[in-house]
Amino acid sequence: MKYSKEEALSLCAKICENTLMDTLDIQFIDITQDSLTAKMPVTPRVHQPDGVLHGGATVALAESVGSAACYLFLDVEKVFVRGIEISANHVKSVASGHVFARATALHVGKTTQLWQIRVTNDQDELVSLVKFTTISLPRN
């Protein structure tokens, strides 16, 4: 990785200003050599009508952390990255607290990348398991 932990987290915060990530109050909190983690508060702003976390908000969190991981771990000076597929299995409801999304690369090829994003609650219980596929395209 070309950034220190502090530089990477600061960069993530900066690129998220005035975006969906800012609207959802997504904060990037940890980075390792092979993963990036973000958290999002679970409040009525991200609830579905029956008072639990909306699956779409969960997927937005997962895609945000997966995309940011691409930005940090791939050479974005030579390529730009776009998400091409995302699927999520939601296994547990959350009504309050935070959810945490940890993106880990399962495959990093020249053209496509496959990310696994585990979304957990404050008790580290699995909430959703997300598969996110990205494509790298050359910058012209």
Side-chain angles (χ1 to χ4, degrees), residues 60-78:
L61 168 64
E63 185 164 355
S64 297
V65 74
S67 295
C70 287
Y71 188 83
L72 294 173
F73 293 123
L74 301 176
D75 189 354
V76 294
E77 293 175 6
K78 294 182 181 176

Side-chain angles (χ1 to χ4, degrees), residues 70-71 73-82 109-111 113 135-140:
C70 287
Y71 188 83
F73 293 123
L74 301 176
D75 189 354
V76 294
E77 293 175 6
K78 294 182 181 176
V79 298
F80 65 93
V81 180
R82 295 290 183 262
K110 281 175 37 178
T111 306
Q113 301 79 42
I135 188 167
S136 297
L137 301 169
R139 290 192 180 270
N140 291 331

